[in-house]
Amino acid sequence: METYLKNKKLIAIGFLLIHSIAILIFTRGFLLTRTELPFHSTCSDVSLSPCLTSPPPSNHDSNPDSISSHSNHTCWTKPVVDRVIIIVLDALRIDFVAPSAFFPEPKPWMDKLTILQKLAFANESSAKIFKAFADPPTTSLQRLKGLTTGGLPTFIDVGNSFGAPAIVEDNFINQLVQNGKRLVMMGDDTWTQLFPNQFQKSYPFPSFNVKDLDTVDNGCTEHLFPTLYEDDWDVLIAHFLGVDHAGHIFGVDSSPMINKLEQYNSVLEKVISILESHAGPGGLHENTMLIVMGDHGQTLNGDHGGGTAEEVETSMFAMSTKKHTTSVPPEFDTSSCKQNSDGKQICISSIEQLDFAATLSALLGISSPFGSIGHVNPELYALGSSNWDLEKSESGNFGTQSAVKEWMKNYVNVLCVNAWQVKRYIDVYSNSSVVGFSSDDMARISDLYAAAEQNWTNSVKHLLMDRNGDENNTNRSAFKEQIAAYLNFFSSVVELARSKWTEFNLNLMITGFGILVISLIIQFLVVFHGDKSYAVGFWLSTGAAFTLFLVTIRACSFLSNSYILEEGKVANFLLATTGLIKLRYSVMKKTMRKEAVIFLAIASVLRVSIDIGLTKQAATSQFMSSSPSWILGIALDLPALTYAIEIAPIVSVVILICVLYIAIAKTPSEGMWNEGMWKYVTVGSMISYFLIALLWASESKIFGLDGLLQVIGGRNRIPQTVYAIGLVQLFLLASARMFCAGEKKYWATRTVALVSACSSPVILLSGKQGSLLALAYLLAGYCIMRLEGVERITKLDRQNKLSKLNPLCVMQWSLLSICMFFASGHWCAFDGLRYGAAFVGFDEFVLIRQAILLTIETFGFSIILSVFGLPILLPIHSQTPQAHSQKRHQLFQMYMLFGVISATTVTATILCVTIQRRHLMVWGLFAPKFVFDVVGLILTDLLICLASAYYF
Amino acid sequence: MKEGKKKKKTETSIGESISALGAFFVYLITGLFLAVGFWVVGEKYSVDLISDPSLTLRLLWIIEFPIVVIIYSLFRRNPEKCSYFRAVGRSILGLISGAIINALGAVSLGAPIGLQSLPKTIHWSFLMSVFTVVPATAVFGASWTNWHRVFASLKPTGNIEYMILIPAYGAIIGGWFGAWPMPLDWERPWQEWPICVCYGAIGGYIVGQIVSLSLMIFLRKHKNLKLA
C-alpha cells in the first residue's frame, strides 16, 4: 500500500509536468510576443548612418535661403511640409472614399464623400486617394498604436493596453514633441489616454457611448474650424467617431450612416475651402498637408477587430496645398486605374498603415520612431515634395523630368536613412528581446541590407554628392536600382515581422493541444484504474452520467465568446441544476431536505454576488453592455444597511472562529503529541481570524476603534502578523507531516488545520467579502458532503460506510470553486485582477512578494482552498485502519477526478482559442481567458501534488 | 418500507381513470387553448411574446388556467369525499404556491431579479405553475404521499398520473434547455428573459404530452399482451 501511495504522488507530479510541457508548447505558438524597446530615436543618431546627413544638393538650388526659410534646422531629412492636418474618420471603409467604379456594384453608401473624389481626380491635382491596409487587430486603440509607432501591436502590446495606458514605446507623436512641433488634438479621447502629456491643446470627447453618434463629431467640428485659422500648431489631429458608432448600432447600409457620411463631406468641404483660401504664398497653409484617413475598416454589420478584408481595408486621402506635384516613376507607382462613368481615367493608390509613421516623419523632417518598421511611401512622399522645384515653374518636358529626378534624389536619401533605422531596430530587437528572430532570417535580412548599402556607398552616394552630375539616364537608373534594393529590404523585413508578430504557429499550437488531449485520456484511465468496490463509482451510475454531461456542457460552452463572458452565470446555472437534482433525490429519500434547500439558497446568494461582479466587469469591458437593471432600488445610505454591511463581515469571522473551535473540540485530545500539534496550528488560525476581525473593526467608523491602529503601530502590522502566522502554520504542518508520519488517522483534524492555515491570508486579501464567502463556501461544502450519495442512501447503505463515492459531488465542488472565483469579484481579464490586494500589509512594491499576494487573492477561493479542502467532501467517520486506507484511495481518486475536470475545461479553452484565433475578440476575450485558465490549471496541478504529499 | 409503499399504491390508485383517447382529447383541448391564448394576444392586443412578454404571459396563463382546472378536476382523487368545487378551489391555491416555487427555482438558476423583470418573472412562473403544479393539485390535493410517489419517486400509476407527471417534467426540462441561448450575443429580442425559456417550456410541455400519450398506448398494449 505504501509503495502504491508513493506512486500516487509520482502520478500527480507527472501530470503537472505533462500539462506544463503541453501548455508551454501551445503558448509558444499562440501568444505572440513583441518586446517593447525603451529606446528613442534622436536627431543626432543619423550621423551614425551611411547616408547624407545634410540634404542633397539640388541642381536648381541657387537660392539657399528658400530652404532655411522653411525650417530652421533639419533633423534626419529635409522637411517637405510645414504643417499636417490628420483627420481620422473611425472605421472608414475603402468604399466610402473610393469611387463606386472600383467595386462590382454601386451601393447606397458609396460616393458620398464627393469632395475627396473631386479633388483626387481633378487635373493637375495634388491629392490622392489611397487604399490603406491595416494590420489586425483592427480595433481603434491597437490601430492608433500601430499607426503612431509604425509597428505591429501583438498580444503583449494589447495586454498592456487593457486599461488604455500611455504608449511607452517610441512613437510618431513623441518624435513630434521631441522636435519641437506643437500638437493639437480633438475628438476621440483614446488619444489622450495613449498620449497623456504630448498635446499642447486637446479637446477630448468620451468615446465610450456607442449609441451617441454626434457628441464627438460635433465637438470636433466645433473646435476644428477655429483652430484652422490659428498658427500656434504644427500638427492637428481630429478624430471623428460617428461612422464607427453608426456602423456598430445600425450597420453600414442604413440612413444614419449615409447622413454621417454626408455630414463629413460638408465638414471636409469646409476644411478644404479654408485651407485653399490660406494656401497662397506666405499664407497660413502655404505648405500644409491634409490627410483624411480611417484607422480600420468595418464589416457591413459594423463589426471590426478581426483580419478579414473588409475590416483590414481602409482608406486614406492625402492632399497638399501646394498645387504642383511630382509624378512618381511608374516602377514605384502602386495605383490601379478604372474608367469612371464619364470615361475618365481615375486611379487610386495603395499604402500600408505600417508605413504611415515613417512617411509622415519623413514629410515633416523628423526622426522616425525607433521601433518603426515601415518605409517611406513613394506616392505619399511625392505629394508633399512639390517643395523642390520651388517657384522655378519650369515648364515643359525638361521641368517634369528634372522634377522627377529631384524627387528621386531626395527619396533615395530618405530611404537610405529609413533603411538604416529599420535595420538598427531589427538588430537591437533581436539582441535584446527574449524571443528574437531566427538567425537564418537575420542573415537573409542582413544580406539584403548589406547589398543595398554597398551599392549606396560605392556609387549612389557619389552621384548625390556630385553637384554637377551629368543629366543622363544612367543616373536615373542607378537611383531606381537603389530604391528597388531598399524596397526589397523593407518588404522582407515586414514579411518577417508579420510572420513573427501576427501569425500564429499552428504546428506548435496543435502539438500542445495534442499532448493535453493525450494527458486527459491517461488521466481518465488513472481514475478508472482504481475503480474498486469502495472507490468512486463510475460505471452505470446516474451520477457519473450526469457529471459527464455537465463537464461536456461546460467544455462546449467555451466555444462561444458569449458563454465565456457569462462563465460565472453558466457555472452557477449548472451548480443550481445539480442542487435541484439533489433536492429531488433528498425529497424522494425523505432525508436531508434542509441541506438541499440550504445549498440552493447558497447558489442563489452566489449568483447575486456574481451579478455584482459582472456589472463591475461591464463597466470596463469593451464587449459587454452594462445592465444595472437587476439592482434593486435600495438606497445605500440607509443607516441600518450601512451598519449591516459593516458588521456582517465581522460577524461571519466570529462565526468562523466558532466553527473552528467546534471542529477542534470534537477531535479526541488524548492523542499523541502530534495530534495536539494539528490543534495548535488550528488555534493559530483562530488568532489570525481574530486579528482580521480586529482590523476590519478598527477600519470601520462605527466601533470607535480608530485609535487602535495607532496603538499597534500602523495599519500594516496586523496583515503582516497574519501572513507570518500563516507561514509558521504551514511550516509546522509540513514538518509535522515529515517527522511524525506514524499517525494518519485523523483526516478531519489535518484537513481543518491545513485549510484554516491557508484561509486566513485568503480572507484577509479578499477584503470584507472574504469572510462571507468563506462562510458560504464552508456551508456549501458541508451540504455537498451531506448530499453526496443521497440517492442511494437507505438503511442498509448507511451501515456500509464504504459505498462508492458519487462523482457528482466532485463536480459540484469544482463548479462551486468556479462560482467562487466570479463571486469574489474576479473575471477572466487583466483588469479583473484586484491590484489593491497586492498592497494589503505592504506599502512598497517588491515584484515577487506582490505577485504572490495577487496570485493568492485571485485564485485563493477558487483553487487554493478548493484543492486543499477537497477532503471535506469525504464523510469523516472511518475508524478501522482498513477503512482508513480505502478512504485514502478514494481521496486520491477524488483528486484525480478534480484534476480531470479542470484539465478538461482548459483543454476546451485551448481548442477554442485555436479555432477562434482569428476571431474579433481573440485578444480582448479569448487570450485573457486562456491565460487565466492555464495559470489556474498549473496551479491546480501543483497544489494537487502538495495535497497528495500532505494527505497520503 | 417497500411493502408499505405498495399498500399505498393500491389505495391511491382508486379514482377516475382515463383512456389514451381521452388523454388525447384533453391534450388537444389544452393545446387548443394555448393556441387560443396566442391568438387572443396577437389579434386583440396586437402584441406577442417578444414585444410585450408580461402581458402575453398573463393572458396565456389566465386563458390556460381555467381549462386545465376544469378538465383535471374531473379526475380528482376520492371524488366522493372531495367535491368538484373543492378541487377547483385547491388548484387555485396550488397555482399560487406552484408559482412561488417556480419563481424561486428560476431565481436560483439565474433569472434576473430586478424590479423591471419582476412582472415577467411572476407571469412566467404562473404559466409554469399551470403546466406543472396545477394539474397535480387538482387531482391529488394536499395528499403528500401521492405527490411524493409521482414527482419524487417517478412511479406514476394509471394514465392520469402519466398525464400529470410527464408534461410537467417536460415543461421544466424544456425551460431549462430554453435558457441556453440567453447568454449568446445574437442580440435577438427573443433572447430576453423569459421569452426563450417560455418557448422551451411550452415545447417541452408538448413533447411531454406526446411522450405520455405514446407511453400510455405502449403500456396498454403491453398490458393486453400480458393478459393474453
Side-chain angles (χ1 to χ4, degrees):
Chain A
M1 200 73 197
E2 277 307 308
T3 51
Y4 183 54
L5 286 175
K6 268 190 189 135
N7 287 341
K8 282 175 181 173
K9 279 170 216 165
L10 289 181
I11 288 170
I13 293 169
F15 283 121
L16 172 67
L17 287 179
I18 295 175
H19 288 162
S20 308
I21 291 166
I23 285 165
L24 203 67
I25 292 174
F26 185 86
T27 311
R28 276 295 297 273
F30 173 64
L31 282 190
L32 311 161
T33 50
R34 190 176 66 103
T35 316
E36 289 189 354
L37 299 179
F39 306 111
H40 290 245
S41 301
T42 53
C43 280
S44 53
D45 290 351
V46 80
S47 57
L48 303 170
S49 79
C51 314
L52 298 175
T53 46
S54 60
S58 164
N59 275 349
H60 307 284
D61 197 5
S62 54
N63 181 10
D65 293 343
S66 68
I67 291 176
S68 58
S69 71
H70 284 298
S71 71
N72 294 330
H73 75 287
T74 51
C75 187
W76 277 14
T77 51
K78 196 178 69 164
V80 284
V81 294
D82 294 339
R83 309 173 100 191
V84 174
I85 299 165
I86 302 169
I87 295 180
V88 182
L89 304 178
D90 214 291
L92 193 70
R93 286 162 61 95
I94 175 68
D95 56 1
F96 288 162
V97 177
S100 51
F102 283 90
F103 304 98
E105 53 178 321
K107 298 274 188 189
W109 60 84
M110 291 179 183
D111 295 328
K112 293 295 171 208
L113 299 172
T114 48
I115 177 75
L116 300 184
Q117 299 183 1
K118 200 182 93 195
L119 283 168
F121 306 130
N123 294 328
E124 288 286 305
S125 113
S126 59
K128 214 164 216 167
I129 288 175
F130 293 88
K131 184 182 202 174
F133 293 94
D135 288 291
T138 47
T139 51
S140 294
L141 199 86
Q142 275 73 53
R143 280 333 304 153
L144 293 187
K145 181 159 189 186
L147 280 170
T148 53
T149 58
L152 296 163
T154 62
F155 175 73
I156 298 303
D157 301 283
V158 181
N160 287 345
S161 64
F162 275 115
I167 294 180
V168 287
E169 223 182 340
D170 194 14
N171 57 68
F172 172 57
I173 304 292
N174 217 16
Q175 287 297 333
L176 285 173
V177 174
Q178 200 176 304
N179 284 282
K181 304 282 181 193
R182 295 156 299 175
L183 283 103
V184 180
M185 195 287 303
M186 56 201 67
D188 187 349
D189 60 356
T190 314
W191 284 89
T192 46
Q193 289 165 10
L194 293 175
F195 308 105
N197 305 315
Q198 280 90 330
F199 297 111
Q200 200 162 54
K201 259 194 263 173
S202 62
Y203 309 98
F205 296 92
S207 55
F208 188 66
N209 189 357
V210 181
K211 289 190 177 139
D212 181 356
L213 299 187
D214 294 318
T215 307
V216 176
D217 291 0
N218 291 347
C220 248
T221 44
E222 189 190 318
H223 292 103
L224 179 61
F225 298 129
T227 315
L228 286 177
Y229 291 108
E230 283 161 21
D231 61 352
D232 59 347
W233 52 267
D234 300 304
V235 175
L236 184 152
I237 296 164
H239 192 138
F240 290 77
L241 279 177
V243 162
D244 181 54
H245 287 185
H248 280 304
I249 304 287
F250 303 104
V252 169
D253 192 4
S254 63
S255 60
M257 178 66 84
I258 286 161
N259 293 341
K260 269 285 146 196
L261 290 172
E262 279 164 355
Q263 183 199 345
Y264 287 166
N265 194 42
S266 61
V267 168
L268 290 172
E269 262 173 7
K270 203 172 164 194
V271 168
I272 287 162
S273 74
I274 293 173
L275 290 184
E276 282 176 342
S277 70
H278 290 80
L284 204 50
H285 295 295
E286 187 193 351
N287 192 15
T288 301
M289 177 165 258
L290 169 71
I291 292 175
V292 180
M293 63 186 295
D295 51 352
H296 50 73
Q298 57 180 324
T299 64
L300 289 182
N301 297 326
D303 295 327
H304 56 85
T308 63
E310 276 185 319
E311 293 160 278
V312 164
E313 288 173 12
T314 177
S315 46
M316 180 189 281
F317 165 86
M319 179 191 111
S320 160
T321 50
K322 284 227 168 168
K323 275 296 164 209
H324 188 244
T325 314
T326 331
S327 62
V328 179
E331 290 89 340
F332 312 119
D333 199 346
T334 56
S335 56
S336 67
C337 295
K338 287 266 158 78
Q339 301 275 323
N340 73 354
S341 49
D342 308 334
K344 198 180 153 196
Q345 181 90 343
I346 48 175
C347 300
I348 59 171
S349 310
S350 67
I351 186 172
E352 299 270 345
Q353 278 198 348
L354 196 64
D355 301 336
F356 179 79
T359 311
L360 273 195
S361 301
L363 282 170
L364 283 162
I366 59 172
S367 39
S368 33
F370 189 86
S372 162
I373 51 168
H375 68 273
V376 177
N377 181 280
E379 286 153 290
L380 188 55
Y381 190 68
L383 277 181
S385 58
S386 51
N387 220 359
W388 287 300
D389 30 310
L390 303 170
E391 290 82 31
K392 301 272 172 183
S393 67
E394 287 132 310
S395 56
N397 193 32
F398 177 73
T400 332
Q401 281 297 324
S402 77
V404 168
K405 183 154 178 285
E406 210 45 52
W407 174 83
M408 277 190 14
K409 276 186 167 185
N410 276 286
Y411 185 60
V412 80
N413 190 45
V414 164
L415 273 192
C416 171
V417 177
N418 192 194
W420 164 79
Q421 171 262 327
V422 170
K423 181 71 174 46
R424 173 183 66 168
Y425 172 68
I426 294 290
D427 285 342
V428 172
Y429 181 85
S430 91
N431 286 335
S432 61
S433 124
V434 186
V435 194
F437 298 106
S438 75
S439 51
D440 288 355
D441 292 330
M442 282 307 293
R444 191 162 50 81
I445 283 180
S446 296
D447 287 348
L448 282 173
Y449 182 72
E453 204 197 316
Q454 185 97 28
N455 192 29
W456 168 265
T457 25
N458 289 350
S459 61
V460 180
K461 196 173 181 180
H462 303 296
L463 290 175
L464 283 176
M465 297 290 278
D466 186 6
R467 271 177 181 273
N468 304 315
D470 39 339
E471 312 260 340
N472 57 23
N473 280 334
T474 46
N475 267 1
R476 270 189 76 164
S477 61
F479 288 154
K480 274 183 189 166
E481 217 169 85
Q482 183 65 26
I483 292 174
Y486 280 135
L487 291 181
N488 192 14
F489 163 71
F490 285 122
S491 67
S492 57
V493 166
V494 167
E495 190 193 337
L496 173 65
R498 286 228 167 88
S499 73
K500 185 79 187 169
W501 291 326
T502 66
E503 280 167 26
F504 301 103
N505 189 337
L506 206 55
N507 290 338
L508 284 183
M509 288 169 78
I510 289 172
T511 313
F513 177 71
I515 295 175
L516 212 55
V517 168
I518 291 167
S519 90
L520 260 191
I521 294 167
I522 299 171
Q523 222 164 349
F524 264 114
L525 289 179
V526 166
V527 176
F528 286 137
H529 171 69
D531 191 20
K532 304 196 177 122
S533 59
Y534 47 80
V536 186
F538 278 105
W539 302 109
L540 304 170
S541 80
T542 47
F546 198 63
T547 306
L548 203 64
F549 177 61
L550 290 180
V551 172
T552 317
I553 290 177
R554 233 179 90 68
C556 292
S557 79
F558 292 137
L559 292 177
S560 162
N561 53 320
S562 322
Y563 288 114
I564 291 181
L565 270 178
E566 311 248 343
E567 193 192 344
K569 277 186 169 176
V570 173
N572 193 260
F573 180 77
L574 298 178
L575 184 70
T577 306
T578 63
L580 286 174
I581 284 168
K582 290 283 183 185
L583 178 67
R584 194 188 79 82
Y585 276 119
S586 72
V587 169
M588 184 171 89
K589 301 288 179 192
K590 298 183 180 172
T591 52
M592 296 189 279
R593 268 162 288 192
K594 227 186 290 169
E595 281 89 344
V597 171
I598 291 172
F599 185 74
L600 274 180
I602 292 170
S604 313
V605 170
L606 284 181
R607 65 143 291 197
V608 174
S609 195
I610 290 170
D611 275 354
I612 296 171
L614 281 178
T615 52
K616 273 193 233 155
Q617 179 184 5
T620 53
S621 169
Q622 42 187 326
F623 308 120
M624 291 178 76
S625 53
S626 64
S627 56
S629 57
W630 62 273
I631 295 171
L632 298 167
I634 302 171
L636 277 169
D637 48 354
L638 221 66
L641 203 70
T642 359
Y643 277 114
I645 288 171
E646 294 282 349
I647 290 174
I650 296 166
V651 170
S652 51
V653 169
V654 173
I655 294 172
L656 282 175
I657 295 176
C658 297
V659 170
L660 273 189
Y661 178 75
I662 294 166
I664 56 171
K666 257 186 166 178
T667 56
S669 55
E670 76 277 2
M672 289 163 60
W673 174 80
N674 54 342
E675 292 310 319
M677 206 181 76
W678 303 123
K679 268 184 159 187
Y680 290 127
V681 167
T682 315
V683 170
S685 302
M686 287 163 72
I687 296 169
S688 290
Y689 286 166
F690 177 73
L691 286 176
I692 292 168
L694 207 63
L695 179 73
W696 289 346
S698 61
E699 276 173 356
S700 76
K701 293 182 181 76
I702 53 171
F703 295 101
L705 288 170
D706 303 344
L708 183 80
L709 287 180
Q710 273 82 47
V711 176
I712 56 167
R715 65 192 164 81
N716 287 342
R717 195 55 63 83
I718 288 180
Q720 284 170 1
T721 318
V722 172
Y723 300 145
I725 292 175
L727 282 177
V728 169
Q729 282 175 308
L730 288 181
F731 174 74
L732 283 177
L733 289 177
S735 49
R737 173 70 189 81
M738 282 211 272
F739 301 118
C740 317
E743 284 296 319
K744 287 181 179 173
K745 260 188 193 173
Y746 298 100
W747 286 103
T749 346
R750 286 167 63 172
T751 312
V752 166
L754 181 61
V755 172
S756 67
C758 295
S759 68
S760 51
V762 172
I763 291 172
L764 176 70
L765 287 171
S766 302
K768 294 193 175 169
Q769 53 173 356
S771 59
L772 294 166
L773 286 172
L775 204 60
Y777 208 173
L778 193 65
L779 206 56
Y782 174 75
C783 291
I784 292 173
M785 185 269 283
R786 295 279 292 161
L787 290 168
E788 186 272 318
V790 67
E791 61 263 50
R792 55 172 161 68
I793 281 181
T794 57
K795 274 180 184 170
L796 266 174
D797 278 349
R798 249 178 243 167
Q799 285 158 2
N800 177 15
K801 299 272 171 16
L802 297 172
S803 53
K804 287 194 171 192
L805 196 85
N806 191 342
L808 189 58
C809 72
V810 182
M811 184 66 203
Q812 277 182 309
W813 187 249
S814 163
L815 283 174
L816 183 66
S817 69
I818 294 153
C819 287
M820 278 292 161
F821 177 78
F822 289 95
S824 52
H826 300 99
W827 56 93
C828 291
F830 297 107
D831 55 347
L833 295 172
R834 288 148 51 98
Y835 294 103
F839 294 96
V840 175
F842 298 99
D843 287 329
E844 69 274 30
F845 180 81
V846 178
L847 183 68
I848 292 173
R849 186 178 67 196
Q850 260 59 41
I852 289 172
L853 287 186
L854 195 61
T855 312
I856 292 176
E857 201 277 333
T858 307
F859 294 111
F861 280 111
S862 60
I863 292 176
I864 298 175
L865 290 189
S866 63
V867 170
F868 285 145
L870 198 61
I872 289 179
L873 300 188
L874 275 179
I876 43 178
H877 321 284
S878 67
Q879 301 298 336
T880 60
Q882 162 137 42
H884 175 72
S885 77
Q886 287 171 351
K887 280 281 164 202
R888 282 205 297 185
H889 186 79
Q890 227 172 33
L891 184 64
F892 176 72
Q893 280 204 311
M894 282 166 75
Y895 268 118
M896 283 295 113
L897 188 59
F898 191 83
V900 169
I901 291 170
S902 311
T904 312
T905 51
V906 175
T907 312
T909 310
I910 283 180
L911 178 67
C912 165
V913 292
T914 314
I915 294 170
Q916 314 263 33
R917 65 189 182 281
R918 288 289 171 208
H919 190 272
L920 159 75
M921 294 175 180
V922 67
W923 300 122
L925 188 70
F926 294 112
K929 165 77 185 149
F930 165 78
V931 172
F932 271 79
D933 268 15
V934 156
V935 172
L937 178 66
I938 298 290
L939 197 62
T940 308
D941 281 338
L942 188 70
L943 291 178
I944 286 177
C945 286
L946 292 179
S948 44
Y950 177 73
Y951 288 117
F952 303 130
Chain B
M1 185 83 184
K2 278 179 184 171
E3 281 173 16
K5 261 188 186 172
K6 268 182 190 168
K7 265 182 200 170
K8 269 172 206 157
K9 253 185 222 167
T10 45
E11 277 168 18
T12 48
S13 57
I14 305 161
E16 292 281 337
S17 63
I18 185 167
S19 68
L21 193 68
F24 176 69
F25 277 115
V26 168
Y27 287 162
L28 207 62
I29 292 166
T30 52
L32 199 69
F33 267 73
L34 213 55
V36 166
F38 274 110
W39 177 79
V40 167
V41 171
E43 290 295 309
K44 302 288 167 195
Y45 293 86
S46 55
V47 292
D48 54 19
L49 201 52
I50 292 164
S51 58
D52 191 348
S54 83
L55 176 69
T56 311
L57 287 170
R58 191 174 72 205
L59 287 169
L60 278 182
W61 74 259
I62 284 174
I63 291 168
E64 183 78 359
F65 173 63
I67 195 70
V68 169
V69 170
I70 287 166
I71 292 175
Y72 281 87
S73 291
L74 290 172
F75 306 106
R76 65 197 180 278
R77 283 281 136 81
N78 303 330
E80 57 278 4
K81 278 185 199 162
C82 169
S83 73
Y84 186 81
F85 291 104
R86 207 177 146 201
V88 171
R90 74 193 183 192
S91 50
I92 292 172
L93 283 179
L95 175 75
I96 295 163
S97 47
I100 294 170
I101 292 168
N102 273 303
L104 287 179
V107 166
S108 77
L109 283 172
I113 46 173
L115 287 176
Q116 291 171 336
S117 50
L118 194 65
K120 291 183 219 166
T121 310
I122 288 172
H123 293 302
W124 172 83
S125 49
F126 272 112
L127 185 66
M128 284 301 283
S129 179
V130 171
F131 287 158
T132 55
V133 178
V134 169
T137 31
V139 175
F140 300 139
S143 156
W144 175 246
T145 47
N146 280 324
W147 279 84
H148 185 264
R149 177 172 50 79
V150 174
F151 280 106
S153 304
L154 301 179
K155 283 172 184 153
T157 52
N159 285 352
I160 188 70
E161 290 182 1
Y162 280 108
M163 283 169 67
I164 292 167
L165 171 73
I166 298 173
Y169 264 97
I172 291 169
I173 294 169
W176 189 80
F177 279 107
W180 283 22
M182 280 174 72
L184 289 170
D185 62 350
W186 299 343
E187 314 232 327
R188 300 291 153 82
W190 54 262
Q191 283 178 291
E192 286 287 305
W193 162 257
I195 299 164
C196 54
V197 178
C198 250
Y199 284 136
I202 291 172
Y205 186 63
I206 292 166
V207 169
Q209 289 183 335
I210 293 166
V211 168
S212 64
L213 261 185
S214 34
L215 261 181
M216 279 178 226
I217 292 163
F218 174 75
L219 286 179
R220 201 189 58 186
K221 273 187 182 167
H222 208 65
K223 235 180 223 170
N224 287 348
L225 280 176
K226 263 186 186 173
L227 286 174

